[in-house]
Amino acid sequence: CSKCGITVLHMYNHSVYCLSFADEYCPDKPVFNPSRLVVKYGDPVSVTCSIRQSYQDYFFGLVDFMGNHTKNGTTILWEVQRMTEWRTLTTCCHINATDYCCCSKLPVTVYKPPDNVSISFRDHSGPLLEGHQYTLQCEVHNVAPVENLTVTFYRGQTALGQLQSNNIEKKPVTEILTLSINTRKEDDGVQYWCEAKLELGSEGPQPPPVVTSEKFITLLYSLYPSMRLPSVLHIFLSLLLTLLQLLSNSCRIRFVFHGFFLYFE
């Protein structure tokens, strides 16, 4: 049957047996409240499943679940003291005497915010050169589910780009997302940072969990004398040129400084 999708289990003498295929499109489907569950790892869970009318002598129960459940007439209360499963899908079914099965699924999303977030330049350390391309990388540690992760890169208060992971792993992972940038002379002294956000929908926590990296200040070098240099570098170069001039006078060596290139004759 094209509408039959999942195998249902029947509870008999505390044993579970395969009974038949369930119809997920039946008119009297059990109703979960809430209809979608988003829970933080380690938190408690409380969900109800109800049917519209009493089915005397019919099976009515949960399938494929963890924790405990309590049946009260046409309602089942499902409770978990601590959610410790990353992949879970609970099903609620009622079955009539002719083995006709009518079921509803409860999608469950178990999430964990990142432990920490860090930002750096890939394969580079030290000052940047104006007009060059560099790769920023944002490393998000121990987050789940990573497919709901959105990372935004910032230069100062300006968003440079927003990236999402295409990793479908449900358990916590460490994810690295990268963004290429081109440096400008205005970037001297600006702060780079990134923000990791878990977008879990309307059923998730509001506002969404957000963890930001530390901000680091960039030191930008210009290869052209006309370009403004950082004040600290100005002082250093002035002292260096004074020292080189003294050496030049005493040793009769001529030093020529042009931009960031030093020659001697």
Side-chain angles (χ1 to χ4, degrees):
C1 143
S2 61
K3 294 183 179 180
C4 298
I6 60 174
T7 300
V8 203
L9 303 178
H10 181 52
M11 187 73 71
Y12 178 72
N13 288 337
H14 305 289
S15 299
V16 181
Y17 297 94
C18 180
L19 184 62
S20 65
F21 289 100
D23 186 354
E24 298 179 59
Y25 303 92
C26 48
D28 289 328
K29 291 177 61 174
V31 177
F32 277 109
N33 186 24
S35 59
R36 176 175 175 258
L37 180 64
V38 178
V39 57
K40 186 177 180 180
Y41 184 84
D43 279 2
V45 169
S46 179
V47 178
T48 61
C49 176
S50 304
I51 51 178
R52 294 191 180 95
Q53 55 183 308
S54 177
Y55 289 85
Q56 189 174 1
D57 297 330
Y58 294 175
F59 171 81
F60 172 46
L62 296 180
V63 178
D64 230 6
F65 68 98
M66 61 176 292
N68 301 311
H69 73 288
T70 305
K71 183 178 177 182
N72 183 12
T74 60
T75 300
I76 295 175
L77 175 63
W78 174 47
E79 295 178 300
V80 180
Q81 290 187 349
R82 291 186 70 252
M83 177 58 75
T84 56
E85 295 287 338
W86 294 104
R87 294 178 180 271
T88 180
L89 179 69
T90 298
T91 305
C92 185
C93 299
H94 65 81
I95 306 171
N96 66 16
T98 61
D99 292 347
Y100 179 77
C101 312
C102 186
C103 295
S104 293
K105 295 179 181 179
L106 175 67
V108 180
T109 300
V110 183
Y111 74 92
K112 179 190 175 302
D115 288 340
N116 61 78
V117 177
S118 60
I119 189 171
S120 61
F121 283 103
R122 172 170 287 184
D123 301 325
H124 180 82
S125 61
L128 309 179
L129 294 177
E130 179 189 340
H132 283 60
Q133 187 177 83
Y134 298 91
T135 299
L136 284 169
Q137 64 178 25
C138 187
E139 189 166 354
V140 185
H141 297 263
N142 208 24
V143 61
V146 69
E147 63 183 332
N148 294 88
L149 175 68
T150 299
V151 167
T152 306
F153 291 86
Y154 289 90
R155 178 164 46 205
Q157 295 303 314
T158 303
L160 299 176
Q162 193 173 78
L163 301 173
Q164 289 182 305
S165 174
N166 51 16
N167 188 340
I168 61 173
E169 176 59 55
K170 301 300 182 184
K171 296 181 179 181
V173 297
T174 294
E175 189 80 351
I176 299 177
L177 298 174
T178 62
L179 181 73
S180 296
I181 62 166
N182 292 304
T183 54
R184 313 160 302 170
K185 65 178 181 179
E186 296 86 359
D187 296 337
D188 180 29
V190 301
Q191 293 179 326
Y192 285 95
W193 55 287
C194 63
E195 173 187 88
K197 180 186 296 186
L198 273 179
E199 303 276 7
L200 298 165
S202 58
E203 298 87 354
Q206 301 298 327
V210 174
V211 180
T212 60
S213 70
E214 293 185 352
K215 300 176 181 179
F216 69 86
I217 299 176
T218 56
L219 185 65
L220 185 69
Y221 283 3
S222 170
L223 293 178
Y224 307 100
S226 60
M227 299 297 182
R228 181 177 63 86
L229 296 175
S231 57
V232 175
L233 186 58
H234 268 303
I235 296 172
F236 172 78
L237 291 178
S238 298
L239 292 174
L240 178 61
L241 290 175
T242 301
L243 177 61
L244 293 179
Q245 188 62 45
L246 292 174
L247 290 174
S248 176
N249 292 338
S250 61
C251 302
R252 295 182 180 180
I253 301 175
R254 185 184 175 201
F255 292 87
V256 180
F257 184 83
H258 179 72
F260 278 94
F261 298 95
L262 184 65
Y263 303 88
F264 63 90
E265 300 176 346

